[in-house]
Amino acid sequence: MRTHHISLLARDAQRNIDFYTRVLGMRLVKNSVNQENIRIRHLFYGDYLGTPGSVVTFFVVPLLGHRTDGKHFFNNIKLSVPNGSLAFWKQRLAEHSVSTTDIENGITFQDPDDVEIKFLQTSEHLTDMRVVPDNGIPADYQITHLMGTELHVPDPEATAAFFQNWLGISVKDDVVELDDQQSIELFESDQPDVKTRFGRGSIDHIALQAPTKDDLFRFWDIAKEQHLNIEEYADRGWFKSLYVRDPGDNRIEIATTTPGFSLEEPILTMGQGLSLPPKFESQRAEIMAFYAKQGVDFSEGVREPTSVPD
């Protein structure tokens, strides 16, 4: 299995958009709202197409306080960048006053909500329509996909068995081994008696790919047979999702790779206005009216070009 997306919490939409588009060069592929609560914005970033496996999303909650990473939590975002690109990224991040630390085969730094981001080098390069234009980053250096995350839990052995028995994923030395060098690293919580509290930069869930709806429902059936903690099935329009809690009480999503983010709008204009899947279109006027009172018109995805990548 491969990663599909990862979803986090952020406090300030504009700071978030500026960092992920203007600094990291990702495309704002969907400028939307939380489908469970339309008064919470939901921002989706990825490559130009929003290819499954390239996507990082944020729910924007302006009154968010500090997070408490206690007995169970996801810890970071691991992103792939091409081999030989680290010198470029160090310079670019330094120019935006972002400090970096060298790690094996990569660098680590923090976003505006103190989310740890790891850039790890791989042989992949973006090609063709996946390349994000006009972001000042050469195509050979652009972020290619989501490599995974860390999962801190009270009982890594139980969580390893969860991934193995439910999804059939190999786990070795507390590493959930996904395809294409992707992984979820398991760690035993060092604060097992501390209650986790969501706040700025908390990771809500990670999603893994199910190629088809049939695959998704096969995992649903297995989850029922194994009496797992199934939260819900949801049709998100752009993909269909199954949410299950692991033994450590973290949310794991399985999401289909279709229909994709161009379901209701052209690829060329994705993210340039309020994006809504078809079943929410009837609420557009209500949503726009609510956010207009806050000075939000969903136009952040429209920006002046900086330069064209090589």
Side-chain angles (χ1 to χ4, degrees), residues 133-185:
D134 306 329
N135 65 359
I137 302 172
D140 285 344
Y141 296 156
Q142 291 190 18
I143 295 167
T144 59
H145 65 262
L146 172 64
M147 292 285 288
T149 186
E150 291 179 1
L151 185 51
H152 294 244
V153 293
D155 186 350
E157 185 175 344
T159 298
F162 165 84
F163 282 103
Q164 288 176 321
N165 297 335
W166 177 36
L167 302 175
I169 302 173
S170 174
V171 182
K172 296 180 181 178
D173 298 324
D174 288 332
V175 177
V176 181
E177 298 181 326
L178 306 173
D179 296 337
D180 297 334
Q181 300 176 291
Q182 301 170 21
S183 66
I184 301 173
E185 299 175 82

Side-chain angles (χ1 to χ4, degrees), residues 10-18 41 43 45 60 62 300:
R11 184 172 185 176
D12 184 275
Q14 192 61 60
R15 287 183 69 198
N16 189 263
I17 291 169
D18 286 346
R41 296 185 66 180
L43 308 172
Y45 306 97
V60 181
E300 298 98 337

Side-chain angles (χ1 to χ4, degrees), residues 30 32-33 35 235-238 263-264 275-282 284:
K30 287 292 168 185
S32 192
V33 296
Q35 296 184 19
D235 184 345
R236 300 302 186 192
W238 309 303
L263 172 68
E264 84 296 351
S275 302
L276 294 173
K279 70 178 182 179
F280 282 85
E281 186 58 39
S282 63
R284 178 175 292 274

Side-chain angles (χ1 to χ4, degrees), residues 48-59:
Y48 190 76
L49 300 176
T51 305
S54 74
V55 178
V56 177
T57 93
F58 287 87
F59 301 105

